[in-house]
Amino acid sequence: MTAGEPTNGTGATDGTGATVRRPFEAGERAPDFVARGPSGQAARFYAHAGGRPTAVLFDSSTSGGQDPRIIDLAGRLAARTDMVLCLVAVDPSPECPVPVWADPDRAVGSAYGVTDGELTAVVLDPNLRVIGTVTGDDLADEVTALLEAAVHRDPPTTVTAQAPVLLLPGALPLQWCQRLIDVWHEAGGVDTGVERGGDEVLDDAYKRRRDHTVSDPELMRELSTVVGR
């Protein structure tokens, strides 16, 4: 079994010098991995996931995926299309209600920054980016809520007058969004126009926007780190 190289940095080291990964933050891409899947054969995570909200459960106990919280979560999601899978450190219980993947040496759990011995759910959006990490007694409640918010579930609509922009939900944590809004209000913005004949002109009939260009080196460094991650 091999775990893909995580994208959340090298993390810290423990007293033995071994690398300890930090938990993934919202917006970071979940690493790929290869493990023995439900069929008993080696399978790649990315080949099965993607396109729908996903909960990756890590059970390093001796229950083999039979923790009551897993059973509770599976019951809540039985009528939904969300993907749920469980990585276990021992032989899976035949009564585990979700697909089970083997993680005997806990390499995948380590790559995801999961604390050994604690049932943990890492919830992903349809683009395989982390939207939250859940532990504790209310795991089923919290995972269900995150999965519900991970995708637009209303009927699709056709956008007929969309600006030429790429929409990337969840790229910045909410606290960062508020921080940038505060910067815009404090530093002010500049009216930007449209190009005509090689010149930029202001025309409210086509566009009304005030931009603030980030020039603070420290803010630029922090923002580049968040966006890059």
Side-chain angles (χ1 to χ4, degrees):
M1 190 282 301
T2 58
E5 180 63 26
T7 58
N8 66 337
T10 57
T13 57
D14 60 17
T16 67
T19 299
V20 180
R21 305 285 179 185
R22 63 168 174 79
F24 282 82
E25 296 180 6
E28 294 187 77
R29 189 171 182 82
D32 195 10
F33 58 84
V34 176
R36 179 163 48 85
S39 68
Q41 302 297 317
R44 183 172 294 279
F45 173 57
Y46 276 10
H48 292 264
R52 52 181 171 162
T54 298
V56 184
L57 307 174
F58 294 89
D59 183 5
S60 59
S61 72
T62 59
S63 76
Q66 203 177 356
D67 187 291
R69 290 168 290 179
I70 298 177
I71 297 172
D72 184 9
L73 178 63
R76 298 177 187 224
L77 303 178
R80 293 173 40 159
T81 59
D82 308 88
M83 178 178 179
V84 182
L85 61 91
C86 182
L87 286 108
V88 297
V90 298
D91 290 337
S93 166
E95 299 181 16
C96 181
V98 301
V100 176
W101 295 50
D103 188 21
D105 56 4
R106 299 163 176 81
V108 181
S110 175
Y112 275 70
V114 171
T115 301
D116 197 21
E118 185 174 26
L119 180 64
T120 302
V122 180
V123 184
L124 313 176
D125 69 13
N127 290 322
L128 299 177
R129 299 192 180 276
V130 176
I131 56 176
T133 299
V134 181
T135 60
D137 294 338
D138 297 327
L139 182 139
D141 287 335
E142 296 182 31
V143 170
T144 301
L146 287 172
L147 290 172
E148 182 65 29
V151 66
H152 183 75
R153 298 182 184 274
D154 293 335
T157 57
T158 301
V159 177
T160 59
Q162 176 64 50
V165 295
L166 173 66
L167 301 179
L168 188 62
L172 292 176
L174 290 179
Q175 63 269 26
W176 256 100
C177 295
Q178 186 59 56
R179 182 176 176 185
L180 293 177
I181 291 171
D182 292 341
V183 169
W184 188 92
H185 281 294
E186 292 168 3
V190 176
D191 287 315
T192 59
V194 295
E195 183 177 345
R196 285 187 183 152
D199 296 322
E200 181 177 330
V201 298
L202 299 180
D203 188 339
D204 287 350
Y206 284 88
K207 172 185 173 183
R208 284 186 296 172
R209 195 177 79 196
R210 293 179 61 83
D211 291 352
H212 170 76
T213 301
V214 177
S215 58
D216 179 355
E218 180 62 20
L219 178 59
M220 179 67 76
R221 183 190 65 78
E222 295 182 52
L223 188 58
S224 297
T225 298
V226 173
V227 173
R229 185 177 64 240

